[in-house]
Structure formats: C-alpha cells, structure tokens
Amino acid sequence: MKEVAEVRELKENRYIIIDGEPCKIVSITTSKPGKHGEAKARIDAIGVFDGQKRSVVYPVRHKVQIPVIDKRTAQVVAIMGDKVQLMDMETYETFEMEIPEEFKGKMKEGEEIQYIQAMGKRKITRT
C-alpha cells in the first residue's frame, strides 16, 4: 500500500519511496524559488531494508509516494541456524526470516520481537 503527498508536507524521520525502495528521511533542505522557477527540496534518506543512502531533488509541489510502514509484534517459534520462524501476534500467520547480524545469538524461542512490514518486505527491528 502507498499514499501520495506533496514534498512540502514531508518531515524528517518520516518515510518516502525513492527508486521503488521505502526510505526514512534523514534531512530535508529547501531552496528559495528562482526568478522563473519554484522552490526545490533536497531529500536525503536511508533505505529501510537495504541501508543505502539516497538523495533526490524535487520541486516542493511535486507529488511523491509514501510507503505504509506497518509495525508489528511476533513470537519466535523456532531458530534454525541463520533463519528464524516467527508467528505474528495478531494474525497468527507463521513465516521465516533471515536473522539480521545485530540480533544473531540474542533471540530465544518463545520471546516476542518487533518487526516492520512494507511493500511485501519484512525486517526485524527489536528483540
């Protein structure tokens, strides 16, 4: 799911889609309008799932897509090497994910974790 907003409505620590990837906005700087043009905004953001830095420049009235970031809770069902099997606490759906480097060795079966879901991708955010 995606929403649409104008560049001037965006704020830091919110989200935007750049190159088809949901990104968290790190900074927004706007320039004054030129003699014939309109004000432009430079947006620096970091990819939510890939961690890459991205920068774009748009007119402030340009419409951009905003991803719908769903923060959810899941329970660890099983740990299988580098993968973990999780069960969503609301839908009871079970699924497998790779364990991110920062959480390897820190997860225990039966404990609850938090993850985010956007545009068909998932990422563990907190144990």
Side-chain angles (χ1 to χ4, degrees):
M1 290 194 327
K2 300 174 194 158
E3 295 176 6
V4 176
E6 284 191 6
V7 172
R8 64 179 171 196
E9 299 168 6
L10 299 175
K11 293 181 173 66
E12 289 181 12
N13 294 323
R14 297 273 175 87
Y15 298 92
I16 183 175
I17 296 175
I18 301 174
D19 300 332
E21 193 68 36
C23 300
K24 188 172 189 174
I25 298 170
V26 178
S27 70
I28 299 175
T29 51
T30 54
S31 63
K32 292 182 179 175
K35 190 173 183 181
H36 300 290
E38 59 180 306
K40 296 211 178 357
R42 178 188 171 91
I43 301 167
D44 294 320
I46 295 177
V48 173
F49 296 108
D50 61 6
Q52 285 189 336
K53 277 189 148 187
R54 292 178 171 84
S55 295
V56 288
V57 177
Y58 290 127
V60 291
R61 291 201 175 145
H62 184 75
K63 299 222 183 293
V64 291
Q65 291 185 322
I66 310 280
V68 175
I69 305 281
D70 197 7
K71 294 180 180 165
R72 304 186 70 93
T73 306
Q75 183 177 22
V76 177
V77 177
I79 298 171
M80 306 152 294
D82 286 347
K83 291 190 181 256
V84 62
Q85 186 177 23
L86 301 169
M87 179 181 70
D88 188 282
M89 298 302 285
E90 282 180 42
T91 64
Y92 302 109
E93 169 196 8
T94 56
F95 54 91
E96 285 184 14
M97 288 178 66
E98 289 275 332
I99 301 175
E101 281 298 320
E102 67 259 30
F103 299 124
K104 285 188 177 167
K106 295 180 181 173
M107 291 186 171
K108 296 182 194 79
E109 290 182 9
E111 80 175 353
E112 290 185 8
I113 59 109
Q114 289 183 334
Y115 73 98
I116 56 173
Q117 179 172 303
M119 298 173 66
K121 297 179 183 177
R122 295 180 173 128
K123 179 183 177 185
I124 297 171
T125 55
R126 196 179 304 162
T127 58

